[in-house]
Amino acid sequence: MNADPQAAGEGASSSRAKWLLTGFLLLLVAVFLALGTWQVQRLFWKLDLIARVESRVHADPVPAPAGAEWPAINSEKDEYRHVTATGLFQHDKTVLVQAVTERGAGFWVLTPLVLPDASTVVINRGFVPAEKRDPAARVASELAAGPVTVTGLLRLSEPVGGFLRANDPANDRWFSRDIAAIAAAKGLSTVAPYFIDADATPNPGGLPVGGLTVVAFRNSHLVYALTWYALAVMSLAGVYLVRKQRAA
């Protein structure tokens, strides 16, 4: 008896479809394994970064980078360095940057500090609640004269705005600590490309409140890695089921 040509054709077509499905599933296995391995590499990179930042935060303070060092400053090696700087505050050039902290909503008080070499570094002196935004409400700290020494953490400029809003220098409304924009708006020259988050040393009159820097890094790489590896296992299980069906 001759075989049914139609049935033979359908069998060959089904076989090709199963081979294609098997190949696709094997490709997914390879892709998911690669993505999982990449996330494991990112995990160890992030853990190393956290360890390095923690060592900087708790290290003894060192002089803030001088002008010759500014071009080489980057987040990889400099962010959150424990530094110190001495100079004179320019209170008349203070800007307030919108902030949300553990103390609630309010403003960061950023004041330029003129260093002995005539260069300037902007100091985030700390937080004030909205009802204390007027300098008259914190006159003790605003009128403090003479050289001051500030100790805190080196932070890099934030040029992209914040709170989903762009800075408005013309109206003196600030949503991020964009040092270049602040320097331009206040007519500052020779300004460091970073600012310093002052530590919790009390200011005269108790305001602004320093030491509120949040040092935290989102680290979900392990979850992502496990997710990709789980998808690889599921794809491999799919290969097994297809092969089992072919053998049946």
Side-chain angles (χ1 to χ4, degrees), residues 139-235:
V139 65
S141 66
E142 297 299 311
L143 295 181
V148 295
T149 297
V150 176
T151 300
L153 300 179
L154 185 151
R155 305 293 308 280
L156 297 187
S157 181
E158 301 168 344
V160 295
F163 296 94
L164 302 179
R165 302 186 65 178
N167 292 321
D168 182 8
N171 292 305
D172 204 26
R173 300 185 65 186
W174 302 91
F175 302 95
S176 75
R177 293 163 291 192
D178 184 340
I179 299 306
I182 291 172
K186 297 299 179 179
L188 306 175
S189 60
T190 318
V191 182
Y194 59 84
F195 61 95
I196 298 175
D197 271 348
D199 64 14
T201 301
N203 286 300
L207 291 173
V209 178
L212 298 180
T213 306
V214 176
V215 183
F217 296 90
R218 186 169 178 266
N219 187 7
S220 301
H221 297 298
L222 179 59
V223 173
Y224 295 151
L226 292 175
T227 299
W228 291 125
Y229 285 143
L231 290 172
V233 171
M234 292 171 62
S235 299

Side-chain angles (χ1 to χ4, degrees), residues 89-94 111-112 142 186:
F89 275 131
Q90 290 183 295
H91 292 289
D92 61 322
K93 296 184 184 296
T94 291
T111 304
E142 297 299 311
K186 297 299 179 179

Side-chain angles (χ1 to χ4, degrees), residues 75-136:
S75 60
E76 188 75 13
K77 65 180 180 64
D78 296 301
E79 188 91 64
Y80 300 106
R81 284 174 61 185
H82 198 187
V83 298
T84 185
T86 300
L88 295 171
F89 275 131
Q90 290 183 295
H91 292 289
D92 61 322
K93 296 184 184 296
T94 291
V95 300
L96 300 179
V97 180
Q98 186 170 330
V100 176
T101 74
E102 62 188 46
R103 289 175 169 258
F107 298 90
W108 296 123
V109 179
L110 271 64
T111 304
L113 182 74
V114 180
L115 307 179
D117 65 358
S119 64
T120 300
V121 59
V122 174
I123 307 297
N124 176 14
R125 293 161 55 211
F127 171 82
V128 293
E131 64 271 17
K132 298 291 186 180
R133 64 178 300 171
D134 190 332

